[in-house]
Structure formats: structure tokens, C-alpha cells
Amino acid sequence: MAGNSRTMLELALGLPEQMAEAAALCRCAELGEPVNYGPVLVAGMGGSAIGADLVRGLFWDEVPVAVSALRDYRVPASLGKDGLFVAVSYSGNTEETLSAFSLALKRGCRTLCITSGGALAGLAARHGVPTILIPGGLPPRAALGYLFVTLLVALGRLGLCRSYSRDLSEAVGLAASRRDEWQREARRLASKLVDRLPLVYSTSRLLDPVAERWRCQINENAKTMCHSSFFPEHNHNEIVGMGEPCFMTRKGVPIGLFDKSTHPRTALRWRHVLAVTRGGYERAVELRSEGRSGLARMLSLVMLGDLVSCELARLRGVDPMPVARIDELKRRMAQSRRQK
Ligand code: PA5
């Protein structure tokens, strides 16, 4: 399904349909035998890495399997034969991911790929690595439904976690029924963020990747800076710096992301922080996840953030689609490779 004729806003609104499609697509993919693995390391960059963060957040208090995202050329010493290595690249041509994948193959660990094609698909085919092929033609960050859901369903099929199909159905249904209201809320929120620095704070480990997603989406879609961090750790360092340097004073807008998994003491900390740092920000916003399951709750705030980034792009008068600087950097890096 090509995304070129659709706007970023339409793509963001289409997240529930994409998630449902991804679940169906992954159920038929050939993944090999289920085995009991050790840790899961997912290599990917940018829009292809966030799915791993979301899985990590979801598993945090549900599944006793450590999932981490690897955003580098090299693999850590801890990656051994007992681990599962997943290479995720939407384009299949991201050099950091290709490098890490080659090193993982040399380590001899079990591997899996998620991509729409490119060099990664070719390399995986040559080495007989199971590959989930997802539809191409989208900006990678607009393929979150494919990238995240295929990873989650694949981990379930490989025996690493329970089936999330009921939670997925709930998340899809909730997002489809609430998206119009979330779009209106996104408009209201975006109007508070124009010419301001959004400071997005997660308050539970389920929401850490959501704050990260907000930051990346505001960077790439609205083409502006955004900061993300997490409570309660913020209270032990960042609290001291809030509002400085002085050109930022009263320009920051703290956005607290809350969930029923937020510890009551952390919620109390948020209120005290706002009081203690008054004068170091303009206004604060509190947002609460919706839904029953962790998956639905997490995705409710992901989708709201995606919509905020599109609305902020509109208010800033920028096109959310192109990421010219990323493209230019990739072009320069490819050129330097050819010149070697
Ligand atoms: O949003 C983007 O375009 C980037 O963050 C890309 O996802 C990133 O550069 C990695 O590319 P790919 O997802 O194709 O591996």
C-alpha cells in the first residue's frame, strides 16, 4: 500500500487499520520453530527502532523477557547464541542496521528480519533468515503499525510471550472509535505548542517509549525541537535545570503522560515538581492514557502524539512528509562509502 498520495495526517489516522493488517500479515509469515530464547535485541534506527521500545515498555511488568533496542553499527558483548536478534529496517537500507545484522550473523545467534525490502531483505535471503516482509512506500515513521505489531506477534509466535491478539483488537477498536475526538484534542494541544519547547515526560515504564515517540514525531513531522525524559528520574537531576538557559524560561511546556501504571508517589512528584519549578515553564499539560490493556493504553497516547505532531506541522506551516536533512545525510554517508 503506497503512502505517497496520502497525507501524514491521513496516515496517522489510519494507524488502527494498519495495525489490524499487520497482525494478519504476521500470522502467516514463516518464522521457524518456536524456541525458548534468552534476551531479545532489536537493531533499528529512528522510525524502525521505536517498535522495539514499545515492546520493551509493554513487557516491562508483564513478560519476563528482556527486550532492548540497539541503535548502533556494532553489537554488544552481551549478545550471545542464546539470544534472539531482530533486524528492523523499513527501507532495508539503513547502514547501522545492516552492519549490526552482519555482526549478529557472525555471532551465530538466531535472527529474524522485518523490512519492506532493500539490502536487508537480500542479505536475509542469502543467509536463510526468516523475514517478515511488510508493504513499502511509506515514510518509516508512518509504518509504526506494521513495524511494532509484526514484532509483537512474531515474539508471541516464537513462544516468548503470550498472544496479544485480544489486546490488539481492543487497541484497534479503541483507536478507531476515538480518533475524531483525539484529533480535536490534538488541535487544542498543538495550539499551545507553537513557538514553544515541548517537554514530554513519561511517568511509568509503559509510557517511556511513548514519550520518545512524541519527541521523534514532533522532530520529524513538525520540524522542531522537542525534549523527552522520564519520572521519577527527572526529579533527581533535570528538575534543577528546568527553565534555563534563560531564553528557554517560560518557553517550555511540560507535558506529563499518565497511565494507571503510574505509581501514586510519582503522580505526587509531578504536582510537586510543577510547584517547585514554577517560573521555569509557561504552562503544563497532563494527558491520561485510555483503554483497558497496557497495549491499548500505550497506543492511545502514541496516536494522540502522532496527531499532535501533524497539527503542529500545520500550525507551523511546514509539510510533515519530507525529512530533507535525514535524506541529505544518508546521501552524504552513501557517497563517502562509494569513495572508499
Ligand atoms: O523517520 C525516518 O525516516 C527515520 O527515522 C528512519 O526510520 C531511519 O532513518 C531509519 O531508516 P529505516 O527505517 O528505513 O531503516
Side-chain angles (χ1 to χ4, degrees):
M1 183 197 304
N4 292 343
S5 55
R6 296 162 74 193
T7 66
M8 187 58 83
L9 180 62
E10 286 167 341
L11 291 168
L13 288 167
L15 180 66
E17 285 73 18
Q18 191 185 104
M19 285 173 50
E21 192 189 329
L25 190 147
C26 189
R27 279 187 205 112
C28 325
E30 183 50 60
L31 302 180
E33 290 300 303
V35 190
N36 283 332
Y37 299 102
V40 180
L41 187 62
V42 186
M45 303 300 300
S48 289
I50 194 74
D53 291 331
L54 289 171
V55 171
R56 185 200 65 218
L58 187 62
F59 280 14
W60 195 80
D61 64 359
E62 283 189 17
V63 180
V65 170
V67 177
S68 42
L70 171 69
R71 294 171 163 94
D72 198 16
Y73 289 88
R74 299 190 296 159
V75 295
S78 58
L79 179 68
K81 286 201 169 77
D82 62 330
L84 172 67
F85 181 95
V86 188
V88 183
S89 169
Y90 185 69
S91 63
N93 294 322
T94 297
E95 63 175 43
E96 297 94 318
T97 312
L98 288 167
S99 160
F101 179 51
S102 301
L103 293 172
L105 288 172
K106 285 192 189 130
R107 288 270 170 100
C109 46
R110 175 94 178 247
T111 47
L112 171 70
C113 288
I114 300 175
T115 183
S116 70
L120 184 61
L123 194 57
R126 280 200 297 286
H127 288 269
V129 174
T131 299
I132 302 171
L133 271 181
I134 54 179
L138 297 170
R141 60 195 181 283
L144 179 75
Y146 292 130
L147 294 164
F148 164 63
V149 172
T150 51
L151 178 63
L152 182 64
V153 175
L155 295 184
R157 285 191 49 205
L158 288 170
L160 282 159
C161 62
R162 66 176 173 85
S163 163
Y164 273 89
S165 39
R166 275 180 57 176
D167 306 47
L168 275 168
S169 301
E170 191 218 350
V172 167
L174 179 76
S177 64
R178 296 284 292 137
R179 62 185 142 198
D180 292 345
E181 175 51 31
W182 291 345
Q183 193 182 353
R184 282 191 285 277
E185 191 176 351
R187 254 181 227 144
R188 287 191 292 272
L189 281 167
S191 68
K192 297 178 182 168
L193 298 177
V194 183
D195 293 331
R196 299 289 178 273
L197 179 66
L199 309 166
V200 188
Y201 296 116
S202 75
T203 60
S204 90
R205 306 301 60 91
L206 180 82
L207 300 182
D208 287 349
V210 181
E212 167 92 356
R213 171 74 174 178
W214 273 63
R215 180 176 63 74
C216 298
Q217 290 291 79
I218 290 176
N219 290 158
E220 292 185 58
N221 290 343
K223 284 133 184 97
T224 186
M225 285 299 285
C226 175
H227 170 77
S228 65
S229 178
F230 50 99
F231 272 48
E233 177 63 15
H234 160 284
N235 306 172
H236 301 274
N237 32 66
E238 191 175 322
I239 183 174
V240 185
M242 278 183 85
E244 293 293 335
C246 58
F247 67 82
M248 267 172 55
T249 307
R250 303 196 64 81
K251 290 284 181 188
V253 179
I255 302 171
L257 305 182
F258 289 86
D259 177 64
K260 70 178 187 197
S261 61
T262 301
H263 194 286
R265 299 282 298 167
T266 301
L268 179 64
R269 282 172 177 276
W270 168 260
R271 291 196 292 279
H272 284 316
V273 164
L274 292 184
V276 169
T277 61
R278 185 156 295 141
Y281 60 90
E282 185 167 280
R283 56 158 77 86
V285 172
E286 291 170 27
L287 300 173
R288 189 155 284 282
S289 62
E290 294 180 35
R292 182 195 53 78
S293 64
L295 181 57
R297 298 191 323 263
M298 171 188 255
L299 283 159
S300 69
L301 285 176
V302 165
M303 190 159 167
L304 180 64
D306 287 4
L307 295 171
V308 167
S309 71
C310 293
E311 293 298 338
L312 188 53
R314 186 179 58 78
L315 293 174
R316 297 191 72 243
V318 297
D319 182 351
M321 275 290 193
V323 282
R325 288 182 181 167
I326 296 178
D327 296 342
E328 171 63 9
L329 190 62
K330 286 185 177 178
R331 193 190 62 72
R332 287 180 186 222
M333 294 301 289
Q335 194 175 31
S336 72
R337 216 171 35 232
R338 282 194 296 273
Q339 281 165 357
K340 266 196 192 160

